[in-house]
Amino acid sequence: MRISARLVALALLACFAISLPARAQQQTGEIFGKVTDQSGAVMPGVTVTVTGPVLLQPLTAVTSDTGTYQFPRLEIGAYTVTFELTGFKTVVSENVRVTVGYSAQINAALSVSTVQETVTVTGQSPVVDTKETGTKQTFTNELLQSIPSARDPWVILQQTAGIAMDRENIGGNMSGQQSNYVSRGGMPFNNKWALDGVDITDMAATGSSPTYYDFDAFEEMTITTGGVDVTQQTGGVGINLVTKSGSDRFRGSSRFYDTNHRLESQNISDEQRAQGATSGNPIQDIQDYGIEAGGPIRRGRAWIWGSYGKQDVGVGVINFYQPTTECQAIKNNPGSFPIEDVNNCLNTDLTTLQSTNVKAEVQLFKGNKATFFNGFSKKERNARNASDLTPPESTVRQSAVPSSYGAWGWTTGPSPTYKAADQWILNDRLLLDVQYAHVGNNFILDYHDDSLQTVQPTLIITTGLNGRSTPDGAQSVNIRPVNEVNVNLNAFAPGTKLGDHAFKIGGYWKDAYSYSSTHTPGYAVARFPTSISNDCSLLATGCQANVTRDGIGAFDLLNVAAYVQDTLTRNRLTLQLGVRYDRNHDQAFAADVDANPLIPAWLPAVSFAGVDPGIVFNNFSPRLGLTYDLRGNGKTVARANYAAYWGQVGTGGVSNQLNPVSRVSVRYPWVDLNGDKFVEANEIVASNKPLAVTGNWDPNNPTAVTTANTVDPNLKNDRTDEFILGVDHEVGGGFAVGANYIWRRYANFNWTDTVGLTSADYSPVSFTPSASACPAGQEARCPTVTFYQPNFQAPTVTTLTNADGFNRSFNGVEITGRKRLANHWLMNTSFSYNSTLVNFNQFAGSITSTNVTSSALVEDPTNRGLRNGFQFDYPTSGSGIGNVYVNAKWLFKLSGMYEAAYGFNVSAFYNARQGYPFEASVQSPSRPNGGGIATVLLDGVGDNRLPNYQNLDFHVDRPIYLGTTRFVPALDVFNVMNANTVQALQRTQNAATANQISAVVAPRVVRLGVKVTW
């Protein structure tokens, strides 16, 4: 009766896993293998026991009729595997390393013995995964702590094969903001983040991390870049973060690191200063400190662990000068002062990152373990977005949403994460995981100074320079809670006619909500052609006003998925056959916005009842993988993999198209009648033909409180198809090399198509910039260019649809090498060569063809010929980052550590890549009929590039032992060569800032620190 009850319960739970699925983020690995006798005959009935510091209690299994066994979903760590059978020698394999997603194959050959005898095997932990069909890179705690880095997940992404970052973080000068990154021509919105098995991906800033982290809380990070199994929906980069946990021995660590301007060099040449460069955002003082510790509550039954970490990132902000007399004099003419004096006068962009974590594990009964996790994180930033185009008054302050804000309760204050999970090992063939999690994510972006909240911002049209106050829509409140339930079932069915089966069944239910409100101070932006000193008293002077209405977005995304996968092993062959189902349904909730006080008749108040767009994505994606053990010893494995992935929808991904209370910005000519440089109601030259429109607003029906925009009822989700061929080979001593060929195709892009407008409705215009607009001393290129402008007033009503005939194709080769720490050294290296081409399939041939099919991505033919068939470069943006277009055909990365004489540990990271594209362009005049301003490319994308980038970081430490306590003083040197590689240039050639340097890699800097472990 007891067995029957368990089977009934298991059947019900399996049905639950399919009918109410859960997200199974990978945070574990497995140990599996086969037991034979010395003749090679399989041995059923052998007791296999796994023990290790990360286990509350030992795990046991009995080999099947085929001599096989499996321990799925093991926490990362080192294990001992023991094989026992009466009448045979006991075999013990020690120090078997399990990492995230890694399948460690541990085979044993037992020999007959008439006495009790044990054979211990050491140093045989495999380095090649015989079941891995995709591509990934694992960073153990050993690598995280020993390789020099700025100590956050984004700099670890930088060390991963094939990933290109949008910024170079030297010693932490970019740690105050998330980096964007591109892998294999994909878009960042398909990236996935997981923390201890919880999908924490920000579904509003889709693909981003919702928070920042205490670096010393991590036990391991695994980065997957392709060939992922059914547990991941998208083809984006998967970042799996695993925190530490307690054990039966109390242990912990604390640290203090300091990076100070007193140990910082200068790397800007006189030529670069003449070209507008400073040293970038120089480090003033960065401090990183914290503590983590854990131990038993009751040995063998319950553990607890916790951490606290804080980073104070003090970086000087360009053009943000201290208010002293001396510094204000430098502000007026910085080029005439030594660069050291300039940097010493910069105010600090102080970012504070704070994180606390608590994790507890308890063995409820034999084979059942419950886990509880709680984390809080908080970010405060003094001057977000500061750059050469965003001076101090145009930056925003970032902070957490106060706990008293509205009725949001536990989702406000420091962003919280809660998790409760239960793992039940029913027997050595069945394992069930169930998990609930809540992820909070909230922050406010506010005026840099409260006195600016009613001051209209300015924008210089030709240069993009902001001024006077917070830019259009930059002030915002954001609250993004997510709730999810996860179920995962692992079943091992050995000894069938086909071979051994390992089934994975599960899925997730996830509800993601997001609320955001945006506001522009003064409800307008004054736009000047070249300078705020422009005379705007006449219509012909070309001054403009963006008149705005506040925006609110309240969205809910229900994301449900289910998957099943069978890993079939037969002799040397392993097949992975799986299918995944995803259901995404996005809708908008009710919200109200006030009228614009300058032109309330045109931008009235709106009360929105909410909308369900009626679009539900139901996607099935197959995953097929194959590995073959070429020599039968687990040391040389060939692999092939095919996978289809569907895109990550995000909150408001569909329903925002129908949201009439989204932020509206309408551009009109502006005549400054009183000369005060501020937009007033009687100065707006309003008509039914605005220069440009952003948001769900129709100038032909301006008083409407609904939107005329629509969603194509046949809208499809974006899709990625991928094929990988590869081989891994263990050279020896924990050293393995690999090579992979990767092909990808990206299609089904969603885009807003302007109703009633096609490419045939545009006419070419030749334009030659005036000589006075092209700075001769800055080598500006101002040839005659052709742009296109609409033949009639461009409609503003749009439909969300698919851009048919448009896709991207990726082809790449990656070569990798990795060595575990043995014989005093370890290493990770990779070389990637790839190409990502943009394809307008139906537009092959003449780009001026007038019989083309309408598609939003190609309505305006301007630049089509310089993008079609050329490289895809992702235009990134972020705090202090602009004019960066991420695309490198080749990337080389090498990191390693050596245990030198006298107890010194020496390590380094060398990173090199091709320079990113420089999209030199000419800015057109303001086009009639609502065409806006065209940015006309001068080169095919990828043909004109910035200098190649290379950097070397260095680390040395010397542990000092006092009993069981270890003190580790350390020194890190970042940008050892003090390189001054240009990272970005101002691209507009017919502007005063043409080709001026806007970003240079930060100079050499030294970090000092000490870590104490016990």
Side-chain angles (χ1 to χ4, degrees):
M1 285 297 296
R2 210 157 117 201
I3 295 176
S4 298
R6 282 195 176 186
L7 289 176
V8 170
L10 178 59
L12 290 173
L13 285 168
C15 291
F16 178 80
I18 296 174
S19 62
L20 183 60
R23 175 73 166 140
Q25 284 289 340
Q26 192 86 311
Q27 62 165 328
T28 57
E30 71 171 2
I31 294 175
F32 77 103
K34 178 184 289 188
V35 181
T36 63
D37 62 19
Q38 287 192 316
S39 69
V42 298
M43 295 188 65
V46 177
T47 299
V48 186
T49 304
V50 169
T51 58
V54 297
L55 289 177
L56 284 164
Q57 295 181 356
L59 303 176
T60 60
V62 177
T63 58
S64 66
D65 290 342
T66 58
T68 55
Y69 71 95
Q70 181 191 44
F71 293 95
R73 300 186 70 80
L74 292 173
E75 293 186 35
I76 62 173
Y79 293 90
T80 297
V81 185
T82 303
F83 302 88
E84 298 173 290
L85 184 64
T86 302
F88 291 82
K89 295 179 181 178
T90 298
V91 174
V92 179
S93 289
E94 296 181 334
N95 197 32
V96 177
R97 299 290 303 179
V98 172
T99 57
V100 170
Y102 185 77
S103 298
Q105 182 174 352
I106 304 298
N107 298 330
L110 304 188
S111 56
V112 175
S113 176
T114 57
V115 297
Q116 186 174 353
E117 189 175 356
T118 300
V119 177
T120 302
V121 181
T122 60
Q124 289 193 6
S125 184
V127 69
V128 171
D129 187 341
T130 59
K131 293 185 179 181
E132 178 60 56
T133 63
T135 54
K136 67 180 180 184
Q137 197 160 341
T138 296
F139 296 86
T140 62
N141 185 262
E142 195 171 56
L143 285 169
L144 295 176
Q145 297 296 330
S146 63
I147 302 302
S149 77
R151 294 173 49 82
D152 65 39
W154 294 273
V155 292
I156 303 304
L157 283 162
Q158 186 181 48
Q159 297 179 28
T160 305
I163 293 182
M165 311 300 295
D166 71 341
R167 64 199 75 192
E168 306 300 338
N169 191 340
I170 303 297
N173 77 312
M174 291 290 180
S175 290
Q177 194 67 25
Q178 294 188 36
S179 300
N180 286 319
Y181 49 96
V182 173
S183 173
R184 299 177 178 175
M187 293 290 282
F189 65 75
N190 276 328
N191 295 333
K192 299 293 291 183
W193 288 78
L195 177 68
D196 280 355
V198 176
D199 182 353
I200 60 171
T201 309
D202 191 334
M203 300 306 293
T206 316
S208 301
S209 167
T211 188
Y212 296 79
Y213 306 91
D214 174 10
F215 193 72
D216 277 7
F218 296 141
E219 181 66 27
E220 183 174 297
M221 288 179 57
T222 294
I223 316 297
T224 58
T225 52
V228 292
D229 68 8
V230 292
T231 58
Q232 181 169 310
Q233 171 189 352
T234 74
V237 177
I239 301 97
N240 291 284
L241 310 174
V242 181
T243 60
K244 296 175 180 177
S245 61
S247 67
D248 272 344
R249 183 177 67 87
F250 182 76
R251 58 106 189 128
S253 69
S254 62
R255 88 277 184 175
F256 178 82
Y257 296 99
D258 186 66
T259 313
N260 193 274
H261 68 94
R262 289 187 292 270
L263 297 177
E264 185 175 30
S265 302
Q266 295 298 335
N267 64 342
I268 304 300
S269 66
D270 292 339
E271 292 79 7
Q272 288 177 324
R273 293 197 76 187
Q275 200 178 340
T278 69
S279 62
N281 292 16
I283 289 173
Q284 296 193 348
D285 191 35
I286 299 177
Q287 295 186 354
D288 177 352
Y289 49 94
I291 186 171
E292 60 85 22
I297 299 174
R298 180 179 176 185
R299 295 184 186 277
R301 288 296 302 273
W303 301 337
I304 193 167
W305 167 86
S307 73
Y308 170 81
K310 187 175 182 180
Q311 280 185 287
D312 292 319
V313 183
V315 179
V317 179
I318 299 171
N319 296 326
F320 189 10
Y321 289 91
Q322 298 173 20
T324 64
T325 302
E326 296 79 9
C327 291
Q328 290 303 302
I330 290 176
K331 175 182 179 180
N332 295 330
N333 190 11
S336 63
F337 291 85
I339 198 167
E340 292 86 353
D341 293 346
V342 175
N343 289 343
N344 289 336
C345 271
L346 296 180
N347 268 321
T348 298
D349 174 13
L350 180 61
T351 302
T352 299
L353 307 174
Q354 188 170 311
S355 174
T356 60
N357 301 285
V358 176
K359 181 194 286 186
E361 295 177 285
V362 58
Q363 192 92 21
L364 298 177
F365 51 87
K366 185 177 181 180
N368 188 282
K369 180 182 70 173
T371 303
F372 305 93
F373 176 85
N374 174 228
F376 289 100
S377 62
K378 181 173 66 173
K379 174 182 177 179
E380 296 176 333
R381 188 164 193 180
N382 177 43
R384 178 167 170 163
N385 299 330
S387 73
D388 59 330
L389 296 179
T390 308
E393 66 272 14
S394 297
T395 63
V396 290
R397 295 176 298 177
Q398 178 173 346
S399 61
V401 177
S403 300
S404 59
Y405 193 88
W408 295 96
W410 69 341
T411 65
T412 54
S415 295
T417 299
Y418 303 97
K419 167 191 168 182
D422 186 80
Q423 184 183 88
W424 186 12
I425 303 174
L426 292 98
N427 55 49
D428 61 355
R429 302 288 191 268
L430 293 170
L431 181 148
L432 180 69
D433 265 315
V434 180
Q435 173 182 285
Y436 164 75
H438 170 86
V439 180
N441 174 19
N442 65 80
F443 60 95
I444 289 179
L445 302 180
D446 215 340
Y447 313 97
H448 178 74
D449 187 283
D450 290 339
S451 64
L452 302 175
Q453 59 184 300
T454 59
V455 178
Q456 292 176 356
T458 62
L459 179 77
I460 308 305
I461 297 172
T462 55
T463 63
L465 176 66
N466 297 287
R468 203 156 64 188
S469 183
T470 303
D472 191 356
Q475 190 265 349
S476 64
V477 177
N478 304 272
I479 301 175
R480 305 165 180 175
V482 177
N483 292 284
E484 58 186 275
V485 177
N486 305 291
V487 176
N488 192 77
L489 175 69
N490 287 76
F492 184 45
T496 70
K497 291 183 179 180
L498 294 176
D500 294 336
H501 296 267
F503 293 99
K504 186 183 294 185
I505 304 170
Y508 72 84
W509 171 92
K510 180 171 68 175
D511 185 76
Y513 178 85
S514 71
Y515 168 89
S516 65
S517 63
T518 56
H519 175 67
T520 300
Y523 292 92
V525 178
R527 295 166 56 94
F528 301 87
T530 60
S531 168
I532 197 172
S533 62
N534 285 127
D535 180 4
C536 294
S537 61
L538 299 174
L539 184 62
T541 55
C543 295
Q544 304 169 353
N546 273 7
V547 190
T548 66
R549 184 170 64 194
D550 291 352
I552 291 180
F555 306 106
D556 187 78
L557 172 70
L558 183 59
N559 186 200
V560 177
Y563 56 78
V564 59
Q565 178 173 287
D566 178 19
T567 300
L568 171 64
T569 302
R570 183 178 177 86
N571 299 323
R572 301 183 185 185
L573 179 68
T574 299
L575 292 174
Q576 278 189 1
L577 308 172
V579 63
R580 178 186 174 98
Y581 165 74
D582 287 282
R583 184 181 191 272
N584 287 276
H585 183 200
D586 171 52
Q587 56 185 319
F589 288 166
D592 302 321
V593 295
D594 295 330
N596 177 289
L598 297 175
I599 50 172
W602 286 75
L603 291 173
V606 178
S607 181
F608 174 49
V611 67
D612 182 345
I615 299 296
V616 179
F617 293 126
N618 291 288
N619 301 133
F620 289 89
S621 51
R623 308 290 167 86
L624 308 173
L626 176 152
T627 66
Y628 187 75
D629 186 350
L630 295 176
R631 297 183 177 179
N633 58 5
K635 296 181 182 297
T636 306
V637 175
R639 72 169 67 90
N641 186 83
Y642 167 75
Y645 310 101
W646 295 96
Q648 194 159 232
V649 176
T651 52
V654 176
S655 59
N656 191 47
Q657 172 72 5
L658 305 178
N659 178 23
V661 294
S662 64
R663 185 180 68 88
V664 175
S665 180
V666 187
R667 188 176 307 161
Y668 290 111
W670 167 52
V671 178
D672 189 14
L673 297 176
N674 59 8
D676 67 351
K677 308 296 184 182
F678 286 86
V679 177
E680 298 180 12
N682 65 324
E683 298 174 344
I684 302 168
V685 187
S687 68
N688 61 351
K689 293 185 178 181
L691 300 174
V693 174
T694 300
N696 295 345
W697 181 80
D698 184 2
N700 296 314
N701 189 12
T703 60
V705 293
T706 59
T707 178
N709 295 341
T710 59
V711 175
D712 183 349
N714 298 313
L715 181 71
K716 298 185 291 292
N717 200 0
D718 72 275
R719 177 179 171 121
T720 302
D721 288 275
E722 177 186 59
F723 185 70
I724 297 175
L725 284 174
V727 62
D728 266 358
H729 174 64
E730 182 176 342
V731 178
F735 184 19
V737 295
N740 295 284
Y741 164 75
I742 306 102
W743 171 88
R744 280 189 169 194
R745 184 178 184 272
Y746 302 90
N748 281 8
F749 300 119
N750 296 344
W751 205 258
T752 50
D753 184 26
T754 304
V755 177
L757 189 68
T758 71
S759 295
D761 298 319
Y762 283 79
S763 294
V765 176
S766 293
F767 171 65
T768 304
S770 65
S772 61
C774 301
Q778 295 166 207
E779 300 181 359
R781 300 164 54 199
C782 290
T784 299
V785 297
T786 298
F787 63 87
Y788 291 76
Q789 62 188 27
N791 299 329
F792 50 83
Q793 183 66 28
T796 58
V797 176
T798 63
T799 184
L800 182 63
T801 185
N802 294 111
D804 296 329
F806 175 78
N807 62 75
R808 295 195 306 273
S809 58
F810 172 89
N811 284 273
V813 175
E814 289 179 0
I815 300 172
T816 61
R818 59 195 183 278
K819 184 184 181 300
R820 290 177 177 161
L821 181 60
N823 299 321
H824 304 291
W825 68 286
L826 64 78
M827 182 194 70
N828 262 330
T829 186
S830 66
F831 176 78
S832 306
Y833 185 85
N834 58 77
S835 174
T836 306
L837 297 180
V838 174
N839 304 307
F840 294 92
N841 287 344
Q842 78 270 40
F843 301 104
S846 173
I847 65 165
T848 61
S849 172
T850 59
N851 60 349
V852 297
T853 303
S854 173
S855 176
L857 289 174
V858 292
E859 284 168 350
D860 182 353
T862 304
N863 296 327
R864 188 184 303 155
L866 295 178
R867 293 198 181 277
N868 185 28
F870 289 90
Q871 291 294 305
F872 166 71
D873 59 343
Y874 174 72
T876 190
S877 62
S879 181
I881 292 293
N883 293 319
V884 176
Y885 299 86
V886 183
N887 172 283
K889 285 189 174 182
W890 61 265
L891 305 98
F892 176 68
K893 307 178 183 189
L894 173 64
S895 62
M897 183 188 76
Y898 179 68
E899 296 176 332
Y902 306 106
F904 284 93
N905 299 312
V906 180
S907 62
F909 172 51
Y910 176 73
N911 179 28
R913 60 164 172 79
Q914 185 183 32
Y916 291 157
F918 174 49
E919 290 199 355
S921 62
V922 165
Q923 195 173 86
S924 79
S926 185
R927 296 180 289 182
N929 298 323
I933 294 172
T935 300
V936 187
L937 294 178
L938 300 182
D939 310 287
V941 176
D943 288 351
N944 186 5
R945 290 181 177 268
L946 297 171
N948 293 341
Y949 170 79
Q950 62 174 331
N951 180 61
L952 177 65
D953 299 331
F954 173 81
H955 169 92
V956 61
D957 66 56
R958 172 57 165 88
I960 300 170
Y961 296 88
L962 295 176
T964 58
T965 302
R966 188 176 72 150
F967 295 84
V968 187
L971 178 146
D972 295 88
V973 184
F974 300 95
N975 191 3
V976 170
M977 298 176 287
N978 204 29
N980 60 358
T981 310
V982 173
Q983 300 294 286
L985 297 173
Q986 296 295 345
R987 59 186 295 219
T988 305
Q989 301 296 292
N990 55 333
T993 57
N995 298 322
Q996 286 193 355
I997 296 172
S998 58
V1000 177
V1001 65
R1004 177 174 52 237
V1005 67
V1006 175
R1007 180 177 69 198
L1008 301 176
V1010 62
K1011 186 169 186 177
V1012 182
T1013 63
W1014 61 88

